[in-house]
Amino acid sequence: MVRTYREKLFFPQTASSLPCANQLEPWVRAAIPLSRATPSMSDANFRVPPAINEPVLDYAPGTQPRIDLEAAVKATRSEVVEVPIVIGGKEIRTGDTFDVVCPHDHGHVIAKVHKAKAEHVQQAADACRAAVDDWERMPWEHRVSIFLRAAEMLAGPRRMQMNAATMCGQSKTANQAEIDSACELIDFFRFNCEFLREMHEEQPESSPGMWNRVEYRGLEGFVFAVTPFNFTAIAGNLPTAPAMVGNTAIWKPSETSMLSSWRVMQLLQDAGLPDGVINFVPGDGPTIGDAALAHEDLTGLHFTGSTRVFQHLWQSIGNNLTNYRNYPRIVGETGGKDFVFAHPSAEVAPLCTALVRGAFEFQGQKCSAASRAYIPSSVWSSLESELVEQARSIKMGPVEDFSNFMSAVIDKRAFDKIKGYIDFAKESSEAEILVGGECDDSVGYFVQPTVIKTSNPNFKTMVEEIFGPVLTIFVYDDQDLEATLDSCNTASAYALTGAIFAKDRHAVVHLANRLRHAAGNFYINDKPTGAVVGQQPFGGGRASGTNDKAGSRMNLLRWTSVRTIKETFVPPTDYRHPYMG
Ligand code: NAD
């Protein structure tokens, strides 16, 4: 272990006798400044290989990728993977395990996960301390090379295994797994490396006789990354984006996507991520969360998940504020109630496709999924039968059958919640189920693609996040455009994604202005889902999050603490100013 200047001040013994941070008494640990060294400089301004979006494989019948993916799915289903805790590069097995099942076949176990306890969070925080110095001092091009290598491994030899884990563990179809766990995660790794280099290039002006510089340091402490079940790519991005910048992280993956999260952790280790930079701590949310948020070294929360959990975590940070050495950065991307608003000039066929794909792909479990639509009566008269017909034609079943468009929702809790909303609509005099509405959890957690029509723009299913394959339609009188725009803007607490459909360009401008703050990702004549890293930076405002735009430079900036350096070449030697003469 290499000692830094500051460590030598604290521990004047020889390098070989210097204890690791996690072997020290707590009071000694507390005395070590967390930022311990100036990052090494490189002797060149390196360019990162240009980031390009990973091409999406189509898995058409008879192609080699299709054959390979089917084999990987078979292999994934034929074993039960044991998932350990990983702290400081060491695997820990507590023996207290929980099962991960296929949501579309919930009797089938694919992984057993060793649950972490609060003491493991302390160990992970110690591992972060032990790793941060060498990690932050590693020249940035070597840090990013690890993630570029991970991207190439995932694009090549690890692709099918990762997609199979996402298909079996999260019930994504081959296409939905491919765009998430392969392409989007590869894109996060590649583009963030490029964004990091661009960020370094942003430097201040210098007046004559001086040189002003800024240095993009990591934060002091660990970043707590808490990830959702629904995107393997998001799970991989939340701990790695801060790590790239020079931070260490404690990663708490979601209980229901453990197999793919574990595959991501293995990928990072095999790509050469040093021990302790990302510590993998699976387990019960509140147990891990309470311990991490109470820790004095917490310096950031990188969260994606529900609004309720995020608000609770933010509140806990507020309650612990006086314990921390730094003000923690809080980045959270949360729930949505994403809309499609059609103008009377909208074209019916693209609108219909956007509603079906936007609402039902991945069973409506995208934070961006279309879940409420405002349709003028003049358009509805030609849209209704087509929409009902298309929703009825959707094939739903296990992901192993590649002809299915939809599969099961993630777990029993989600199934019951979604069914509750559908039952509520069935019993209401303000709503009518146009198609779907049946739910069956005997083998897997299957919910039919469901379209509800309501006469009330504030109906429960028009304003609350359901997170399932349920689309509610409010048909408005063409004369009531302005009042309906108000309703779309204010009825729900969320502002994540939204789409408008119109052919009339004046209408496009008007709707975009009226819905200016209603969505962080706004679509014109397209579905509100499917944001691509590097093309549509993602995030929303209001109850949908802090809008720090995952997969962009804006997000990386949140994980840096900039040091401004002013160097004066010939400093003044007289305190008196000329005017005093
Ligand atoms: P969730 O909030 O139930 O869980 C998210 C994570 O928080 C999980 O890892 C969970 O274990 C953990 N958690 C729960 N309680 C905790 C606690 N007290 N302390 C620490 N961790 C705790 O969300 P989910 O069901 O996994 O994901 C679906 C939600 O995520 C939806 O609301 C969806 O809109 C949202 N989402 C948002 C975006 C976005 O970019 N805005 C993207 C994906 C998902």
Side-chain angles (χ1 to χ4, degrees), residues 332-465:
E333 300 306 336
T334 61
K337 188 69 194 173
D338 310 296
F339 62 84
V340 172
F341 196 104
H343 181 261
S345 68
E347 291 174 335
V348 172
L351 172 62
C352 190
T353 305
L355 288 171
V356 173
R357 286 190 171 173
F360 303 132
E361 276 179 336
F362 187 37
Q363 298 78 262
Q365 297 174 115
K366 299 185 185 189
C367 49
S368 54
S371 62
R372 55 181 166 136
Y374 301 82
I375 312 291
S377 50
S378 59
V379 172
W380 182 244
S381 53
S382 30
L383 173 69
E384 180 177 4
S385 57
E386 190 55 32
L387 178 63
V388 168
E389 178 50 38
Q390 288 190 21
R392 192 169 284 139
S393 72
I394 286 176
K395 195 160 174 276
M396 182 170 71
V399 294
E400 292 80 3
D401 176 351
F402 279 45
S403 67
N404 287 318
F405 178 82
M406 270 177 63
S407 190
V409 300
I410 192 70
D411 60 9
K412 172 85 175 136
R413 192 173 63 121
F415 178 87
D416 289 344
K417 182 179 165 196
I418 300 162
K419 185 172 183 307
Y421 279 104
I422 294 173
D423 290 345
F424 178 84
K426 280 181 180 168
E427 281 157 26
S428 170
S429 59
E430 293 180 319
E432 162 191 8
I433 308 268
L434 298 182
V435 61
E438 296 305 314
C439 307
D440 179 356
D441 64 350
S442 51
V443 177
Y445 303 111
F446 289 102
V447 178
Q448 275 185 345
T450 300
V451 179
I452 300 170
K453 180 168 168 261
T454 180
S455 55
N456 175 5
N458 295 314
F459 189 63
K460 198 176 167 69
T461 63
M462 284 292 284
V463 299
E464 295 180 14
E465 184 181 54

Side-chain angles (χ1 to χ4, degrees), residues 115-136:
K115 244 194 259 181
K117 303 186 181 66
E119 70 204 51
H120 296 112
V121 176
Q122 177 61 51
Q123 291 172 18
D126 289 345
C128 286
R129 275 194 171 217
V132 71
D133 187 20
D134 286 344
W135 180 239
E136 201 190 9

Side-chain angles (χ1 to χ4, degrees), residues 11-71:
F11 302 105
Q13 61 269 71
T14 60
S16 60
S17 68
L18 184 74
C20 289
N22 57 6
Q23 295 166 332
L24 300 174
E25 292 297 316
W27 69 270
V28 182
R29 275 204 314 262
I32 308 174
L34 287 175
S35 174
R36 281 163 282 188
T38 304
S40 305
M41 306 301 285
S42 299
D43 292 328
N45 286 333
F46 296 109
R47 284 199 302 265
V48 179
I52 45 157
N53 290 113
E54 177 64 15
V56 179
L57 300 181
D58 66 10
Y59 299 105
T63 59
Q64 194 58 47
R66 169 69 169 266
I67 294 164
D68 294 345
L69 183 57
E70 282 178 339

Side-chain angles (χ1 to χ4, degrees), residues 224 226-231 234 252-256 283-290 293 303-310 312-313 333-336 366-368 413 465 467 496 538-540 544:
F224 185 38
V226 182
T227 59
F229 80 84
N230 66 336
F231 274 89
I234 296 177
K252 199 219 83 61
S254 164
E255 295 89 317
T256 40
D284 165 62
T287 306
I288 312 296
D290 288 354
L293 298 181
F303 177 83
T304 297
S306 63
T307 300
R308 182 186 56 80
V309 171
F310 184 52
H312 168 74
L313 301 185
E333 300 306 336
T334 61
K366 299 185 185 189
C367 49
S368 54
R413 192 173 63 121
E465 184 181 54
F467 222 57
L496 189 51
F538 194 79
S544 291

Side-chain angles (χ1 to χ4, degrees), residues 70-390:
E70 282 178 339
V73 167
K74 210 169 157 197
T76 301
R77 281 190 64 102
S78 67
E79 62 174 336
V80 179
V81 176
E82 202 184 338
V83 179
I85 303 159
V86 182
I87 295 175
K90 292 198 179 63
E91 295 187 357
I92 298 168
R93 290 171 174 76
T94 56
D96 178 13
T97 61
F98 63 90
D99 289 346
V100 180
V101 300
C102 300
H104 52 275
D105 180 8
H106 51 55
H108 190 99
V109 178
I110 51 173
K112 281 195 182 298
V113 184
H114 290 266
K115 244 194 259 181
K117 303 186 181 66
E119 70 204 51
H120 296 112
V121 176
Q122 177 61 51
Q123 291 172 18
D126 289 345
C128 286
R129 275 194 171 217
V132 71
D133 187 20
D134 286 344
W135 180 239
E136 201 190 9
R137 260 186 306 136
M138 183 181 282
W140 72 270
E141 70 275 11
H142 288 283
R143 259 190 270 130
V144 303
S145 288
I146 294 167
F147 299 98
L148 292 173
R149 177 167 147 78
E152 291 315 300
M153 290 165 67
L154 183 52
R158 299 290 175 93
R159 190 181 200 117
M160 299 306 161
Q161 186 195 47
M162 188 71 81
N163 281 345
T166 302
M167 288 173 71
C168 297
Q170 289 133 274
S171 289
K172 291 204 172 192
T173 60
N175 169 258
Q176 291 298 308
E178 168 73 7
I179 59 174
D180 166 21
S181 52
C183 300
E184 188 171 345
L185 186 51
I186 293 165
D187 290 351
F188 273 132
F189 289 154
R190 288 185 184 149
F191 278 85
N192 278 340
C193 295
E194 174 112 31
F195 296 142
L196 183 73
R197 181 195 58 79
E198 287 173 8
M199 187 169 80
H200 287 174
E201 275 180 6
E202 195 168 316
Q203 293 292 326
E205 297 297 317
S206 296
S207 300
M210 69 175 70
W211 187 2
N212 295 321
R213 314 189 278 272
V214 293
E215 195 170 71
Y216 294 88
R217 304 172 301 180
L219 308 174
E220 282 192 288
F222 67 81
V223 173
F224 185 38
V226 182
T227 59
F229 80 84
N230 66 336
F231 274 89
T232 304
I234 296 177
N237 182 49
L238 299 197
T240 55
M244 241 177 244
V245 182
N247 294 287
T248 51
I250 297 178
W251 173 16
K252 199 219 83 61
S254 164
E255 295 89 317
T256 40
S257 60
M258 280 306 313
L259 183 57
S260 60
S261 291
W262 171 235
R263 294 296 185 214
V264 173
M265 187 65 199
Q266 288 179 308
L267 173 74
L268 294 169
Q269 289 184 301
D270 293 346
L273 190 73
D275 294 345
V277 172
I278 293 177
N279 298 283
F280 183 77
V281 186
D284 165 62
T287 306
I288 312 296
D290 288 354
L293 298 181
H295 201 285
E296 60 182 347
D297 289 357
L298 180 86
T299 195
L301 169 67
H302 204 188
F303 177 83
T304 297
S306 63
T307 300
R308 182 186 56 80
V309 171
F310 184 52
Q311 289 178 347
H312 168 74
L313 301 185
W314 194 314
Q315 199 109 47
S316 305
I317 290 173
N319 294 340
N320 283 304
L321 203 54
T322 51
N323 297 342
Y324 305 131
R325 294 157 186 270
N326 291 279
Y327 294 107
R329 302 281 170 90
I330 304 177
V331 173
E333 300 306 336
T334 61
K337 188 69 194 173
D338 310 296
F339 62 84
V340 172
F341 196 104
H343 181 261
S345 68
E347 291 174 335
V348 172
L351 172 62
C352 190
T353 305
L355 288 171
V356 173
R357 286 190 171 173
F360 303 132
E361 276 179 336
F362 187 37
Q363 298 78 262
Q365 297 174 115
K366 299 185 185 189
C367 49
S368 54
S371 62
R372 55 181 166 136
Y374 301 82
I375 312 291
S377 50
S378 59
V379 172
W380 182 244
S381 53
S382 30
L383 173 69
E384 180 177 4
S385 57
E386 190 55 32
L387 178 63
V388 168
E389 178 50 38
Q390 288 190 21

